[in-house]
Amino acid sequence: MAQDDNSGKELTAADSSAVEHARTGDAGTALVVSDAVENPGFPPHRARVTDKDPKKRLRAERTVYTLFYLSIVGSIWAIAAYMLFPIESDNIADVRLNTLFMGLGITLALLALGFGAVHWGKALMADKEGIDVRHPVRGSEETTARAVEIFQQADEESGFGRRTLIRNSLIGALVAFPLPAVVLFRGFGPQIEDPSRLLEHTMWKKGTRLTVDPSGTPIKAADVTLGSVFHVIPEGLNDKEDRLEEKAKAAVLLMRLEPKDLHVSPSRKTWNYDGIVAYSKICTHVGCPVALYEQQTHHLLCPCHQSQFDITHEAKVIFGPAKRPLPQLPITVDADGYLIARSDFTEPVGPSFWERH
């Protein structure tokens, strides 16, 4: 007898009349053959060494919960490394040590947790073959009750409820593993001060010269040609102990356009000098560096999320997720012809969400 998988009805053995009958039916109906491959069944069961030898089963249990405890140690070590090797000194060696030891701790936590779970399943959980019949729709109440019974049976066979050392060490490893991430993410934000206040003021002040990044060479207005762009930092930045933090707020892009191409609002008429304008290099979306300038269109592009700013219209947003223009740095020249700042930025630099309360 043959079985039709689609209908579930028994069919007679195929002969010429049956073949002809199948051909006259639906074009998608398969031909019934009489030499279908028989189900070979399961191979003979091979008992594991942990099923045969109680000592080896006990050794496997010790291995599993030892691996879970090692995972906990790795998570705790990652947190300790974050504190023992701080990166606030701006020394690249400290950054490398911080990254190295934190990475080793997180690697140990992950590998030990994974190896422990795999060894538990292969050496200690129930070792028998079974068939899982899948249903296309939700089962009946009897099926749901059977599912609960299966969960209970799985708990009994895995020993999750009985092997307390393995269970508790696994729970401890799972609880400890996310802790390094919590500590790291907290470290991304300012520790004490309000972020909006930190971004309201930068190194720029009245009379500060604009210098080339990173050399610190002062820039004369005559050096800025039409279509050129300069990456600018405040004079004296390189002498600051916290120069990286200050640069992250004070970095500026300097460009020169034809004065007739600038559409300047009345309150900003004195903020540029003969077509030379300066805007914050920090994108107002999430703080990426806006470092790409297109000479023909006078557009600035943030490569992270593709926000575009129109320099001819006071760096207003013309595309992308940024919600406000880049802050403009008011500039002029001193008696020697060097470009200087008129004042600090008149609004917070960087991501807009810092100033939204």
Side-chain angles (χ1 to χ4, degrees):
M1 304 296 287
Q3 182 77 12
D4 182 0
D5 292 336
N6 294 323
S7 64
K9 297 179 180 179
E10 291 185 346
L11 302 176
T12 57
D15 56 19
S16 59
S17 61
V19 171
E20 292 299 328
H21 177 71
R23 287 176 178 172
T24 59
D26 185 2
T29 303
L31 297 180
V32 180
V33 295
S34 58
D35 57 346
V37 178
E38 296 183 359
N39 184 354
F42 291 114
H45 180 73
R46 297 176 58 186
R48 302 169 300 189
V49 292
T50 52
D51 297 329
K52 300 177 181 179
D53 190 344
K55 292 183 178 180
K56 291 186 178 180
R57 181 169 63 250
L58 182 59
R59 182 184 303 171
E61 290 184 14
R62 292 171 179 170
T63 301
V64 172
Y65 65 68
T66 300
L67 286 169
F68 289 157
Y69 284 138
L70 281 177
S71 177
I72 298 175
V73 171
S75 298
I76 296 175
W77 170 245
I79 298 174
Y82 178 76
M83 301 176 181
L84 293 174
F85 303 97
I87 59 176
E88 285 79 7
S89 63
D90 294 337
N91 188 342
I92 191 64
D94 293 339
V95 177
R96 289 173 179 171
L97 287 175
N98 181 280
T99 304
L100 171 64
F101 288 111
M102 283 189 53
L104 289 175
I106 294 174
T107 300
L108 176 61
L110 268 175
L111 289 179
L113 184 61
F115 287 160
V118 171
H119 193 55
W120 184 9
K122 293 179 70 68
L124 294 174
M125 292 187 181
D127 180 33
K128 62 181 181 180
E129 295 79 10
I131 298 176
D132 181 16
V133 180
R134 299 184 178 181
H135 302 279
V137 295
R138 183 183 184 278
S140 62
E141 294 300 328
E142 292 77 8
T143 303
T144 304
R146 175 57 182 157
V148 174
E149 182 182 349
I150 291 173
F151 274 106
Q152 295 173 345
Q153 182 180 356
D155 174 64
E156 180 180 353
E157 292 177 350
S158 66
F160 191 83
R162 292 183 291 105
R163 295 187 172 99
T164 56
L165 278 175
I166 291 181
R167 181 191 64 205
N168 295 340
S169 60
L170 172 62
I171 294 174
L174 292 175
V175 170
F177 176 71
L179 295 181
V182 174
V183 175
L184 285 177
F185 291 151
R186 176 62 187 91
F188 288 160
Q191 302 298 312
I192 301 175
E193 300 185 54
D194 183 357
S196 62
R197 294 182 180 178
L198 290 173
L199 299 175
E200 284 178 356
H201 301 288
T202 70
M203 272 192 64
W204 294 108
K205 60 183 179 180
K206 185 176 182 180
T208 302
R209 284 184 173 180
L210 281 66
T211 63
V212 178
D213 181 18
S215 66
T217 304
I219 305 171
K220 285 189 173 182
D223 298 332
V224 186
T225 59
L226 285 173
S228 62
V229 58
F230 286 77
H231 296 257
V232 174
I233 55 177
E235 187 176 31
L237 174 67
N238 291 333
D239 299 328
K240 301 277 289 185
E241 292 185 359
D242 56 345
R243 59 185 180 278
L244 292 181
E245 286 79 4
E246 292 295 340
K247 183 178 180 179
K249 299 187 295 181
V252 162
L253 283 175
L254 185 74
M255 297 141 288
R256 188 166 200 161
L257 290 70
E258 291 283 0
K260 62 181 178 62
D261 293 335
L262 294 174
H263 299 79
V264 183
S265 58
S267 61
R268 297 190 180 189
K269 285 190 176 297
T270 60
W271 285 20
N272 70 86
Y273 178 79
D274 196 21
I276 302 175
V277 291
Y279 286 94
S280 172
K281 189 178 175 180
I282 314 304
C283 183
T284 55
H285 178 216
V286 291
C288 297
V290 182
L292 303 177
Y293 177 59
E294 211 292 312
Q295 292 181 345
Q296 302 300 320
T297 60
H298 306 302
H299 292 170
L300 283 175
L301 172 66
C302 177
C304 290
H305 304 99
Q306 312 305 311
S307 294
Q308 293 185 29
F309 306 88
D310 185 0
I311 299 303
T312 63
H313 289 81
E314 300 179 344
K316 75 173 184 179
V317 182
I318 58 175
F319 182 80
K323 297 302 181 184
R324 65 185 179 96
L326 295 172
Q328 184 176 359
L329 179 69
I331 61 172
T332 185
V333 295
D334 60 13
D336 297 322
Y338 289 101
L339 291 168
I340 61 173
R342 287 182 174 271
S343 66
D344 195 1
F345 294 103
T346 60
E347 58 181 312
V349 300
S352 298
F353 56 80
W354 287 129
E355 58 173 326
R356 302 293 183 257
H357 300 288

